[in-house]
Amino acid sequence: MVLRNQVLIWVTFLVVLILLLWIFRGILLPFVVGAALAYLLNPLVNQLQKWRFNRAWATTVVLLCVITIVLSLFLMFLPLIGQQIIELLQRAPGYVADLQALFARWSPDINEWLGPERAAQLQTSINDVTRQLLGFITTLPGELVSIGLTGAAVIGFTVLTPVVAFYLLLDWEGMVHGIESLLPKDHKGEINTILGDIDKAMAGVIRGQGGVLLIDAAFYATALSLLGLNFGLVVGLIAGLLSFVPFVGFIFGFGLSVGIAIVQYSGDPWMVGAVAAIFLFWQFIEGNILYPKLVGSSININPVWMMFALLALGAVFGFVGLLLAVPMAAIASVLVRYGVAKYKASTLYLGQNGGPHGPASNP
């Protein structure tokens, strides 16, 4: 089969896949999360099989343990988190007004320190940031409803997701072997190499980066709560879970926490500095220890490309697109690197004679 026909087949397959995702985007959420959960838990099921567990029993035990842990955490923290979210929504306008009043009180000192022009620019920037942050907080309930997180959708999601994960886990090895049997025999080794790179990237996304997000959320929520910051639990959880977008979780958590701390600890710069230090310290730990250890070099994606993928897929597929954006970006990066390597090995890049200068002439 000539290269043109191969490219045409794969492009057609990709277009059909994107079209199907767009058509069924409204019902994909439990299937996407269930597939991610199955991919995440498959190594545990395989380990239990090595310990002489039947595949069905291993799948049941692993899923029941995960569901028990999730339900326990949910029932333990939901009342407190819900109460903090409601209070934060109610008190957000008051925090903005208090911040503006404090800035007005400090404006003579700021003018003397920065100069009138830079002080005015700083005030404008602070007003813009607080207005955008307030807008995000106040519209959050409506956004949750708009992406389908209504009561019926939540019930359907919580019921369907474990069922999807169970059946995928139960037949995971069979699906893998079935897909492998469909690969073209002449290119099977090369395709398996690409799929191995994709599996490594997906493991970095779902297992590695997912672990980093959970650790981030746990640290921020615990540290801010122990410090006594108002709404520290919910702010820390949101900051940690938003960390899948490069720098967004840090910027959001840092800005919101410092803003609350300025109002709460007015006149005590040490406490405000302590809140800021939590985020600066953990950003260093995440970038230099957690991310290299848990994710490593498996996700070699430019942050700009990551943000583009999130915005583009979120705009097209909604909330499901946001969930798919990071894995799809990882897969695309693997395919792009493969395409570049093939291009550099082709005559289009090397020329008909295998190099820029052609074959060496005989003396």
Side-chain angles (χ1 to χ4, degrees):
M1 185 183 294
V2 297
L3 178 62
R4 183 182 64 183
N5 292 339
Q6 293 183 34
V7 172
L8 182 61
I9 289 173
W10 286 109
V11 169
T12 302
F13 174 76
L14 181 62
V15 170
V16 171
L17 178 62
I18 294 174
L19 182 62
L20 290 175
L21 288 175
W22 185 78
I23 292 173
F24 296 110
R25 65 191 184 279
I27 61 171
L28 283 179
L29 182 60
F31 297 94
V32 170
V33 177
L37 189 61
Y39 183 83
L40 179 69
L41 299 178
N42 186 57
L44 295 177
V45 175
N46 290 339
Q47 184 60 50
L48 288 182
Q49 277 193 290
K50 293 178 181 178
W51 294 342
R52 312 277 185 180
F53 274 73
N54 178 275
R55 181 79 186 185
W57 274 110
T59 300
T60 303
V61 168
V62 169
L63 269 181
L64 283 178
C65 290
V66 171
I67 291 172
T68 302
I69 293 171
V70 171
L71 283 178
S72 300
L73 293 174
F74 184 79
L75 294 175
M76 188 183 305
F77 291 106
L78 179 64
L80 182 57
I81 294 174
Q83 180 183 359
Q84 287 200 6
I85 290 176
I86 293 172
E87 290 183 7
L88 180 59
L89 292 173
Q90 293 173 341
R91 294 176 60 178
Y95 274 118
V96 173
D98 291 342
L99 280 174
Q100 291 173 339
L102 285 173
F103 190 86
R105 189 193 311 166
W106 297 335
S107 59
D109 297 331
I110 296 175
N111 284 335
E112 183 178 350
W113 181 39
L114 296 177
E117 184 176 349
R118 291 186 178 179
Q121 292 175 351
L122 177 62
Q123 184 173 9
T124 301
S125 300
I126 292 176
N127 288 337
D128 290 341
V129 170
T130 53
R131 185 163 51 249
Q132 292 173 4
L133 193 59
L134 179 61
F136 172 79
I137 293 173
T138 54
T139 58
L140 185 59
E143 292 294 328
L144 293 178
V145 173
S146 69
I147 63 176
L149 294 183
T150 56
V154 169
I155 293 173
F157 171 78
T158 54
V159 171
L160 278 178
T161 299
V163 174
V164 171
F166 176 81
Y167 283 107
L168 288 178
L169 272 173
L170 195 61
D171 196 33
W172 189 270
E173 301 301 324
M175 289 188 301
V176 171
H177 293 310
I179 293 172
E180 188 174 356
S181 67
L182 297 175
L183 298 178
K185 292 185 177 180
D186 289 343
H187 306 282
K188 192 170 184 177
E190 191 171 15
I191 295 175
N192 277 329
T193 301
I194 299 172
L195 292 177
D197 292 339
I198 290 176
D199 181 65
K200 182 180 178 182
M202 292 289 289
V205 170
I206 297 179
R207 298 180 188 134
Q209 198 165 31
V212 171
L213 299 187
L214 294 177
I215 295 172
D216 284 352
F219 174 80
Y220 286 139
T222 303
L224 294 176
S225 298
L226 291 176
L227 198 63
L229 184 73
N230 290 339
F231 316 113
L233 177 63
V234 67
V235 172
L237 289 176
I238 294 174
L241 296 178
L242 285 178
S243 296
F244 72 92
V245 187
F247 306 111
V248 169
F250 168 76
I251 293 173
F252 174 86
F254 182 88
L256 185 58
S257 298
V258 169
I260 294 174
I262 289 174
V263 176
Q264 181 179 348
Y265 304 117
S266 178
D268 190 351
W270 291 105
M271 293 300 294
V272 177
V275 171
I278 287 173
F279 282 88
L280 296 175
F281 164 75
W282 196 251
Q283 187 69 11
F284 174 82
I285 295 296
E286 177 191 322
N288 293 277
I289 298 177
L290 284 183
Y291 209 86
K293 292 292 185 183
L294 296 181
V295 180
S297 59
S298 57
I299 307 178
N300 186 17
I301 307 174
N302 189 288
V304 175
W305 167 239
M306 182 77 75
M307 287 185 279
F308 172 80
L310 286 163
L311 292 175
L313 291 179
V316 176
F317 299 110
F319 185 64
V320 174
L322 293 177
L323 296 178
L324 289 174
V326 179
M328 293 297 286
I331 294 172
S333 69
V334 172
L335 296 178
V336 167
R337 288 196 294 271
Y338 169 76
V340 170
K342 294 293 287 185
Y343 164 69
K344 287 187 174 182
S346 68
T347 55
L348 181 63
Y349 177 77
L350 297 174
Q352 294 296 330
N353 296 317
H357 303 296
S361 58
N362 294 324

